[in-house]
Amino acid sequence: MFRQFIDKTSGADVYLITSLGIFMVFFIIVTVLLFTMKKNHVNYMSELPLNDDKA
C-alpha cells in the first residue's frame, strides 16, 4: 500500500525526508530535555501518585 503511494506520488521523497527530519528533531529535543531535567522534579513526579497528602 505504501509502495503504491510512493510510486504514484511525484515528490514523495520530500515527504519521507521531511517526516524523518521532524521525527529526529522531536527525538533530539526530548532527549535534551530529559538529560537537563532536575533530579528533584523527577523524584517529585515519580512519587506524586503515591503521596496522598492534601495541603
Side-chain angles (χ1 to χ4, degrees):
M1 180 176 149
F2 292 113
R3 177 58 86 188
Q4 293 173 352
F5 172 74
I6 293 171
D7 290 340
K8 292 182 181 180
T9 305
S10 61
D13 53 345
V14 174
Y15 296 117
L16 296 174
I17 297 298
T18 304
S19 63
L20 179 64
I22 291 171
F23 172 75
M24 291 302 295
V25 167
F26 177 77
F27 184 76
I28 290 170
I29 289 172
V30 168
T31 304
V32 168
L33 288 175
L34 178 69
F35 284 114
T36 59
M37 192 178 299
K38 294 181 180 180
K39 299 298 179 189
N40 291 338
H41 181 69
V42 173
N43 289 335
Y44 171 75
M45 294 302 283
S46 68
E47 294 174 358
L48 191 59
L50 301 178
N51 290 341
D52 199 14
D53 299 334
K54 295 184 180 180

